[in-house]
Amino acid sequence: MTDMTLLGDRYFLAIKALKNRLHACAAWFKPAPKTLHVGRINDHLARDIGLSQAEIARHRLTLPSQTHHHPRG
């Protein structure tokens, strides 16, 4: 019974190692972000790194429901 448990653990660890390796490869191929992601920092930190209020507002994500501009007219 002990051999079956060890064999099961080996298969589990082999599959886990394969998944970790595939995840690392996928993360390596993922392109770097092309724009500044300001949405995750607050206004105080953005001012500390030298961004103006206009730059902060330009880089923030605005959803269509948060604006009055309609893209089709």
Side-chain angles (χ1 to χ4, degrees):
M1 196 134 139
T2 322
D3 295 332
M4 293 183 83
T5 306
L6 290 176
L7 188 62
D9 288 343
R10 278 191 219 149
Y11 284 129
F12 173 74
L13 291 176
I15 290 172
K16 186 170 181 164
L18 180 64
K19 282 177 65 176
N20 286 344
R21 189 171 295 158
L22 289 174
H23 181 67
C25 283
W28 186 70
F29 282 119
K30 183 179 176 186
K34 295 182 177 159
T35 60
L36 181 64
H37 297 286
V38 188
R40 293 179 282 199
I41 62 174
N42 60 14
D43 291 337
H44 180 73
L45 289 176
R47 282 191 305 269
D48 282 349
I49 63 172
L51 295 175
S52 68
Q53 289 294 331
E55 290 172 330
I56 294 170
R58 187 181 65 196
H59 290 293
R60 296 253 175 175
L61 175 68
T62 54
L63 300 174
S65 62
Q66 294 173 335
T67 181
H68 299 289
H69 172 72
H70 193 277
R72 295 189 186 134

